[in-house]
Amino acid sequence: MKKFLIITVAVLSAIISCKSQYEVLLASSDVDAKYKAAMEFFANKKYQKSAQLFESMAVLTSGTSRDDTVQYYWGLSNYRAKDYFTAESNFSKFIENFPQSPFTPDAQFYRLDCLYRATYRWELDQNPTRACMSAINEYMREHPSDDIHRPACEDMLKELQTRLDRKDYEAGKQYYHMEDYLSARVKLKNVLKTNSDNVYREDVLYYTAMASYHYARLSVKEKQKERYLVFTDDYLNFISEYPESHYRPELDRLYRQVNEK
């Protein structure tokens, strides 16, 4: 029991001692020691500690040859620690202060990735999505020969555009499920006017045709013939683009019913 207590005290003392050494280093003005330790923490994936050390020496190295390195690794440490909000702020300031640094292209990309990670799923506000897409497109225009980050940028753009497409499509479909068929058709038609390459194009065209059908079906008899012609146009448009669609049997059946009237 005595031996166990001695070992426990020794371990606790060692832990406290290590923590004290780190805290002393954090508060010190020894740039060389702080820089070496920060790089070691970073290499050992202890990113929160490296971020704190880089932050603590940022003022001390300002204007020196280490300035951009410290500022860049401060942002990168936060990024690797998954503190994307702080990292985005770090990289934004870095890009502004060090436009000619060899770290700048990577800082620009990591900033984009931070913006990307701050966007929301399609059901929520998509303003951050649009802002991120604008930043990515600007980066790609500025770096047309960047073969390292370009594939990741293209993947982010594709995923973000799909999110916007889903948002628009679901807004139109919501009117359909509310049985406001005229508004649904108008909204769905506008989806493709805004972006004809919407990834949900097949679904948009299907619900457009279905909205036309139900709007005609529920109309007064004098208006039905004219409005069923709109459905016919939507039906023919759909099958010309998607002749093998899984929606086709249902639309074919409705089309036959309309022509039997």
Side-chain angles (χ1 to χ4, degrees), residues 77-131:
S77 294
N78 282 317
Y79 176 85
R80 295 282 173 82
K82 300 183 179 181
D83 182 357
Y84 301 116
F85 179 82
T86 305
E88 194 276 326
S89 178
N90 289 144
F91 290 131
S92 293
K93 291 176 182 176
F94 180 90
I95 294 163
E96 181 180 353
N97 293 332
F98 305 101
Q100 303 303 319
S101 170
F103 296 118
T104 299
D106 284 336
Q108 290 175 317
F109 172 75
Y110 285 125
R111 173 180 172 266
L112 295 179
D113 195 46
C114 290
L115 291 173
Y116 170 76
R117 293 171 186 272
T119 58
Y120 308 128
R121 62 181 189 270
W122 69 266
E123 299 98 326
L124 302 176
D125 178 27
Q126 292 305 301
N127 284 327
T129 296
R130 295 184 183 90

Side-chain angles (χ1 to χ4, degrees), residues 2-165:
K2 185 177 180 181
K3 184 178 181 181
F4 174 77
L5 288 172
I6 293 172
I7 294 173
T8 302
V9 170
V11 170
L12 289 173
S13 298
I15 293 172
I16 294 170
S17 175
C18 289
K19 184 178 180 182
S20 298
Q21 289 175 11
Y22 175 75
E23 289 177 344
V24 169
L25 183 61
L26 197 61
S28 79
S29 57
D30 187 339
V31 174
D32 290 337
K34 289 165 81 84
Y35 185 86
K36 180 180 178 182
M39 285 298 188
E40 287 177 354
F41 280 127
F42 184 88
N44 291 317
K45 301 182 180 181
K46 296 180 179 179
Y47 300 121
Q48 290 182 336
K49 286 190 173 182
S50 65
Q52 288 179 316
L53 281 172
F54 284 122
E55 180 181 8
S56 72
M57 77 177 88
V59 174
L60 300 174
T61 57
S62 179
T64 71
S65 60
R66 285 177 173 170
D67 197 358
D68 65 332
T69 303
V70 168
Q71 296 284 347
Y72 174 71
Y73 275 94
W74 178 12
L76 193 58
S77 294
N78 282 317
Y79 176 85
R80 295 282 173 82
K82 300 183 179 181
D83 182 357
Y84 301 116
F85 179 82
T86 305
E88 194 276 326
S89 178
N90 289 144
F91 290 131
S92 293
K93 291 176 182 176
F94 180 90
I95 294 163
E96 181 180 353
N97 293 332
F98 305 101
Q100 303 303 319
S101 170
F103 296 118
T104 299
D106 284 336
Q108 290 175 317
F109 172 75
Y110 285 125
R111 173 180 172 266
L112 295 179
D113 195 46
C114 290
L115 291 173
Y116 170 76
R117 293 171 186 272
T119 58
Y120 308 128
R121 62 181 189 270
W122 69 266
E123 299 98 326
L124 302 176
D125 178 27
Q126 292 305 301
N127 284 327
T129 296
R130 295 184 183 90
C132 182
M133 292 176 71
S134 177
I136 293 171
N137 281 318
E138 182 179 354
Y139 173 84
M140 292 175 72
R141 285 193 297 271
E142 290 180 358
H143 303 278
S145 302
D146 178 11
D147 295 329
I148 298 174
H149 298 310
R150 192 176 189 86
C153 288
E154 290 174 345
D155 287 343
M156 285 190 283
L157 278 177
K158 183 177 179 181
E159 199 280 327
L160 293 171
Q161 184 60 58
T162 298
R163 207 177 297 176
L164 294 180
D165 288 353

Side-chain angles (χ1 to χ4, degrees), residues 224-243:
Q224 283 187 338
K225 183 175 181 181
E226 175 188 351
R227 291 172 180 173
Y228 275 130
L229 289 175
V230 176
F231 163 70
T232 297
D233 286 343
D234 289 341
Y235 164 78
L236 294 174
N237 185 37
F238 181 89
I239 65 170
S240 68
E241 287 198 40
Y242 301 101

